Amino acid sequence: MGKITEQLVLESCTPKTNNLKLIKTLNLSKLGLKSQDLPVPLLSRMNCLEQLDLSGNRLQELPSGLVLPSLRFLDLTNNEMEDILNLESLTNLEELKIEENVYITVNDNYKLMVLLPKLRIYNGKDVSTTANHMRFIYTENLRSRVAGVWESSFSLPDDVTAEKMSVLERDFVNKVNRQIKYGPSSLTDYTKWRLERIAKEYLRSLIEPTSEEGETVVDSDPEENNITATPIKRKAAIAAAECNMDSPQKKTRLAAQAPLTEASPRKSSRLQSTPQKGQSTTDALTSLGQAARALLRPTKGQVTRPNTAIRDASEPEPEADTTPSKQSKTPTKSCIKATRTPNANSVTPGNHGCSKSQESVSLRPLHALQCHSKQDNPDDFSTQLWACAFQPPLEHSNANAGSRIVATCGGESLCLIDCETGLVMKKYNVAGEEFFSLAWSTVLMSGQSGGKVRPCSILAAGGKRGLVKLIHPRANTAYGEFRAGRKALSILRFSPRQGNFLFTGGYDKKIFMWDIGGIDSEYNFKVLQLLVLEATSPALHLSLPPNSPDRHLLAACEDGLLCYNTQLNKNTMKRSEEMEITFPIYDNEDKEHNYHTIDGLQFLSEDIVASKSHMQGSIYLWSWSATHRQKVNKKKQVCAVILTELQWCSTEIPYLTLNTCPSEGYVVCGDDKGRLWTYHVTDLIVGNFKSGKSVKATEILEWPSPVKKGGGPVEGPSINSVAMDPELQYLVALSDKNMVLVWKREILGKE
């Protein structure tokens, strides 16, 4: 038979359609096809193809360059397959049938488990456990041995040239294959193949990703190999179907059914420390060799080591200090230079009582990054960024350790950024996802064979697909996921008292309480559902009172602020709210103004809560204890005991989240013009709470007008989220135009 034609494809597809992009199932079995009969340009147009049957043909390999981003099932039974390496491009493939191919060996079986990071069903059998072992443990052991060979026998030349590196790579790979003997003899071919790939990756990770002419090297580009989907707005990600979506504006949110994926916890693939060109893994946590950093310039000929090597799972976890050492990194082409506007609009404290501390406090813009750009596109100003949080220190480490590392999410990616240097230390990408929320916590990790238990810092993230991803950043491992809702997730929050208790809220109008447990040395974990809290609208923010995090939960929702009893000693697992907390602004509602959407909620102290409503134009500070005491018998509604009101901007843009720094007494909230409204709530303010006067902002930080290379200043976007480290040394702001702004605190003496 000749080459496959478009007419034949349309005749053999399901559902019947005249549009290749809408095809989901295609049967091309028993047609006598050879590899050259499969036209890559034609097949690659089928973006939504999920199932492909090529059984009963004469295929020796799949053609190179075939990209089918939605393909989940492939049947290659009864062919003449000899080379399986081209299957690597099918990064979302979950089930593969390749029986009755006489040239496929046991070693090929194991290669496929590594090449296909989401493969779970192989020739009708569940191979998740074996595949995860090959991706995690087996690969990690090989990688540590490869690093040992390098450290003992090799070093980079002083003058790095292509010719010298080619000779070095050849000698290094040969040495690795001669010296390292690992695994059973039946897997010698697989081990040799895996060692060669790991050795080349390791060597590449040591080289500064710039050419001799100073041009960016493409195969170390942090974005290129991972992002595949078009940037979309948050509501579009929730409401639109994957293959035929529009991009509505940010004004409304719609609920949508999350894509059907596995509901039980499962491990994802081990993540590589340096992305390879042509290796398009859908879940890739990378320790970037090239940083999206502001205020730096590439240095010709620099050579660096990777900041975070992938360690053996049995190694003890270092203290939570991800500060880069012995390295210098260059910015990506998506970097933006941050410039501070002279004489930023500072609201001078007056008789409103908002006085500053003994020393003047100043925040200056330090970095501006576009690290969530699609394909590192410097013109991507459409990806919206939604949540950020600073890594907390481990209990046994220095109190300030990790306080300069912030996690950010938006679009298909999560980034870990060093606020001091502006380096993107790690990046995690999931094609087809849009992340809306993330949260840090500390869980216990047991050693091998019941060895020493140690705390480790993990990151949880969720979004459009309704799945919670669990990540151990220190080990470059996305170790699991579980379904937390039937629709998109809007908020995640860990208990500050019980680090393995996770609350999730989503667009199915439910809040779940989970016990994610700890992890062992092989990253096995178990998730238990503890509570289901019913709501009447999606939860936007969750907050636990510092004095009673195991008894109460506050949920800021689309139609109000709800309080739940979360004590686990009660018999019922399914509960409704204990009470609704109302606010004075509700009295001003009319047909055009609905103030029930609570889009900001944080505790400023053990008792004081900061919250705001959409379109309110101010921020309430109110007493949690005094409000809760009003709950009598079966009374369902209580009015918040307002302490004072902070003046804020007038805007109709929703979801501009506030945050607090309790140790420094600060409240910060961005607006729709790129400004940051900061409020220093001092003891004097607390003393004047009952005066009835609203409080002006201590300082309004103007948008720093970052300037793009070759272009003018970027106009101020909406600030969707802000975060501060516990000491308020850094302030991070996320915008709806794909920009991360980092501010640094300066303490100046009085003039």
Side-chain angles (χ1 to χ4, degrees):
M1 171 152 186
K3 279 194 174 184
I4 297 298
T5 63
E6 182 172 346
Q7 180 180 355
L8 177 62
V9 169
L10 295 175
E11 291 173 354
S12 307
C13 72
T14 305
K16 295 299 180 183
T17 178
N18 292 325
N19 188 344
L20 291 175
K21 295 183 178 180
L22 300 180
I23 296 175
K24 293 192 174 182
T25 302
L26 180 60
N27 187 346
L28 298 177
S29 63
K30 300 178 182 179
L31 297 178
L33 298 174
K34 297 182 179 180
S35 301
Q36 59 267 30
D37 296 328
L38 297 177
V40 171
L42 176 65
L43 296 177
S44 295
R45 290 164 59 188
M46 292 183 282
N47 294 331
C48 289
L49 183 64
E50 297 178 356
Q51 300 186 37
L52 176 59
D53 188 349
L54 291 171
S55 62
N57 287 296
R58 300 172 61 189
L59 300 174
Q60 294 180 321
E61 64 177 358
L62 284 189
S64 61
L66 181 62
V67 177
L68 297 170
S70 299
L71 192 66
R72 301 290 186 269
F73 171 87
L74 175 62
D75 191 346
L76 290 171
T77 303
N78 192 19
N79 274 278
E80 301 172 5
M81 294 292 293
E82 297 179 2
D83 189 346
I84 47 87
L85 296 182
N86 286 343
L87 271 69
E88 186 177 15
S89 64
L90 306 178
T91 53
N92 285 319
L93 195 66
E94 297 178 356
E95 181 172 356
L96 173 64
K97 289 186 176 181
I98 199 169
E99 296 175 303
E100 299 181 45
N101 284 271
V102 296
Y103 302 112
I104 298 298
T105 66
V106 173
N107 288 276
D108 290 327
N109 294 338
Y110 288 104
K111 290 179 184 179
L112 285 167
M113 294 179 191
V114 174
L115 292 171
L116 303 172
K118 291 192 175 182
L119 184 66
R120 295 184 295 110
I121 308 298
Y122 186 67
N123 290 335
K125 298 180 180 179
D126 189 339
V127 296
S128 298
T129 301
T130 303
N132 284 329
H133 179 83
M134 303 307 292
R135 297 165 187 158
F136 295 152
I137 309 304
Y138 201 96
T139 296
E140 183 63 19
N141 285 327
L142 293 180
R143 185 174 284 111
S144 64
R145 286 164 169 76
V146 167
V149 172
W150 173 267
E151 295 295 340
S152 63
S153 306
F154 293 90
S155 62
L156 291 172
D158 294 332
D159 183 17
V160 177
T161 64
E163 182 179 357
K164 289 182 179 180
M165 291 308 301
S166 177
V167 173
L168 179 59
E169 180 183 274
R170 181 197 63 201
D171 294 343
F172 182 41
V173 170
N174 290 339
K175 178 82 170 180
V176 163
N177 279 321
R178 287 196 310 269
Q179 186 167 323
I180 298 177
K181 305 298 179 185
Y182 184 79
S185 58
S186 60
L187 296 184
T188 299
D189 180 63
Y190 166 80
T191 302
K192 182 178 179 181
W193 169 81
R194 196 74 185 98
L195 283 171
E196 181 175 346
R197 288 170 67 101
I198 291 173
K200 291 180 179 179
E201 292 168 6
Y202 184 84
L203 182 58
R204 192 155 39 241
S205 72
L206 303 179
I207 306 303
E208 178 68 26
T210 54
S211 68
E212 292 184 347
E213 294 76 24
E215 298 177 351
T216 301
V217 175
V218 176
D219 60 355
S220 289
D221 198 313
E223 302 274 0
E224 176 165 324
N225 298 321
N226 296 324
I227 300 180
T228 57
T230 303
I232 50 180
K233 299 292 183 181
R234 177 169 187 168
K235 301 182 305 281
I238 300 169
E242 182 177 357
C243 295
N244 56 346
M245 66 170 60
D246 298 321
S247 296
Q249 296 301 310
K250 182 183 175 182
K251 288 294 294 178
T252 61
R253 281 176 171 171
L254 300 174
Q257 190 76 15
L260 294 177
T261 56
E262 186 180 49
S264 59
R266 65 179 179 85
K267 297 177 184 177
S268 56
S269 60
R270 185 74 179 190
L271 305 167
Q272 305 204 6
S273 61
T274 305
Q276 275 188 290
K277 186 176 182 180
Q279 183 179 10
S280 180
T281 55
T282 57
D283 290 7
L285 181 65
T286 53
S287 193
L288 299 182
Q290 182 183 22
R293 179 183 179 185
L295 308 178
L296 287 181
R297 293 292 181 267
T299 302
K300 182 177 179 181
Q302 283 184 323
V303 177
T304 68
R305 292 180 181 272
N307 176 59
T308 306
I310 298 180
R311 301 177 298 103
D312 192 285
S314 62
E315 291 181 31
E317 170 138 331
E319 294 185 352
D321 181 11
T322 47
T323 305
S325 60
K326 297 181 182 180
Q327 63 172 323
S328 59
K329 297 188 178 184
T330 57
T332 63
K333 52 192 174 184
S334 63
C335 270
I336 298 178
K337 183 177 180 181
T339 58
R340 186 176 185 184
T341 304
N343 301 321
N345 183 10
S346 176
V347 180
T348 304
N351 295 328
H352 53 68
C354 192
S355 61
K356 296 186 179 181
S357 58
Q358 293 299 317
E359 292 184 332
S360 299
V361 176
S362 175
L363 286 158
R364 63 179 178 88
L366 186 62
H367 303 293
L369 302 91
Q370 278 185 286
C371 50
H372 293 266
S373 297
K374 173 182 168 58
Q375 296 179 345
D376 198 24
N377 180 6
D379 297 320
D380 177 8
F381 290 98
S382 60
T383 298
Q384 290 187 303
L385 311 184
W386 289 109
C388 54
F390 277 85
Q391 179 182 6
L394 294 177
E395 292 181 359
H396 67 277
S397 64
N398 183 284
N400 293 323
S403 62
R404 57 192 264 181
I405 302 299
V406 67
T408 62
C409 75
E412 298 176 334
S413 60
L414 306 172
C415 291
L416 267 64
I417 301 169
D418 186 319
C419 291
E420 180 63 29
T421 64
L423 297 177
V424 178
M425 309 305 295
K426 303 173 190 290
K427 187 164 186 178
Y428 175 63
N429 196 92
V430 181
E433 179 64 277
E434 182 166 11
F435 289 107
F436 295 152
S437 185
L438 54 77
W440 289 95
S441 190
T442 300
V443 299
L444 296 179
M445 184 175 192
S446 59
Q448 293 181 343
S449 303
K452 182 179 178 181
V453 176
R454 65 181 186 274
C456 67
S457 185
I458 66 165
L459 185 65
K464 181 181 71 174
R465 298 170 63 189
L467 299 174
V468 173
K469 297 282 186 178
L470 298 173
I471 303 168
H472 185 193
R474 168 65 67 176
N476 281 10
T477 301
Y479 68 86
E481 66 180 32
F482 66 94
R483 176 161 293 287
R486 296 171 57 191
K487 295 183 179 180
L489 300 179
S490 53
I491 183 66
L492 280 69
R493 184 74 67 232
F494 279 101
S495 167
R497 183 170 295 177
Q498 191 84 11
N500 52 303
F501 284 0
L502 173 65
F503 293 89
T504 63
Y507 288 86
D508 54 6
K509 302 178 183 179
K510 289 182 174 63
I511 300 167
F512 294 94
M513 181 180 179
W514 309 90
D515 181 355
I516 66 169
I519 51 180
D520 62 19
S521 60
E522 296 184 359
Y523 289 98
N524 294 307
F525 71 104
K526 184 178 181 180
V527 175
L528 298 176
Q529 185 184 107
L530 302 178
L531 290 177
V532 181
L533 309 177
E534 299 283 355
T536 57
S537 64
L540 305 179
H541 299 283
L542 301 174
S543 192
L544 294 102
N547 285 334
S548 57
D550 51 357
R551 298 198 304 272
H552 298 105
L553 173 73
L554 297 181
C557 301
E558 289 273 9
D559 62 1
L561 179 60
L562 306 179
C563 175
Y564 294 90
N565 187 324
T566 58
Q567 294 182 84
L568 295 177
N569 56 4
K570 292 182 174 292
N571 293 327
T572 176
M573 286 184 57
K574 195 171 185 179
R575 305 175 188 176
S576 58
E577 73 273 13
E578 182 182 56
M579 65 179 180
E580 179 186 359
I581 299 173
T582 62
F583 296 94
I585 191 68
Y586 290 1
D587 296 336
N588 299 331
E589 287 187 344
D590 53 35
K591 292 182 179 180
E592 297 181 356
H593 297 85
N594 179 3
Y595 298 112
H596 274 66
T597 298
I598 310 298
D599 58 1
L601 177 70
Q602 288 288 342
F603 273 84
L604 177 60
S605 69
E606 292 184 349
D607 183 58
I608 300 173
V609 186
S611 68
K612 74 179 185 70
S613 301
H614 172 217
M615 296 191 293
Q616 178 179 340
S618 64
I619 298 170
Y620 284 134
L621 297 185
W622 51 279
S623 170
W624 155 247
S625 60
T627 301
H628 190 257
R629 280 196 297 268
Q630 296 181 97
K631 175 74 170 64
V632 180
N633 297 326
K634 295 183 178 180
K635 186 178 180 181
K636 275 289 188 178
Q637 282 192 348
V638 299
C639 186
V641 178
I642 305 298
L643 301 175
T644 195
E645 195 169 358
L646 307 179
Q647 297 180 16
W648 189 58
C649 71
S650 177
T651 178
E652 295 185 359
I653 301 296
Y655 320 130
L656 306 181
T657 304
L658 62 82
N659 212 329
T660 62
C661 181
S663 65
E664 297 295 317
Y666 260 82
V667 179
V668 178
C669 189
D671 64 15
D672 57 347
K673 296 180 175 59
R675 299 176 298 183
L676 295 175
W677 297 59
T678 68
Y679 309 87
H680 190 193
V681 184
T682 64
D683 292 338
L684 180 59
I685 294 295
V686 176
N688 291 336
F689 268 162
K690 295 182 180 179
S691 66
K693 296 180 180 179
S694 61
V695 177
K696 295 181 180 180
T698 304
E699 186 176 12
I700 301 177
L701 303 175
E702 294 288 348
W703 176 249
S705 301
V707 179
K708 264 187 60 63
K709 292 181 179 179
V714 180
E715 295 182 358
S718 294
I719 302 298
N720 288 339
S721 182
V722 294
M724 292 162 278
D725 70 285
E727 304 298 324
L728 192 48
Q729 297 302 311
Y730 303 98
L731 169 63
V732 174
L734 305 186
S735 79
D736 66 349
K737 291 185 178 180
N738 185 30
M739 297 182 67
V740 179
L741 268 295
V742 179
W743 300 70
K744 184 174 182 179
R745 178 179 176 179
E746 292 182 329
I747 300 179
L748 308 174
K750 288 185 176 181
E751 295 183 357

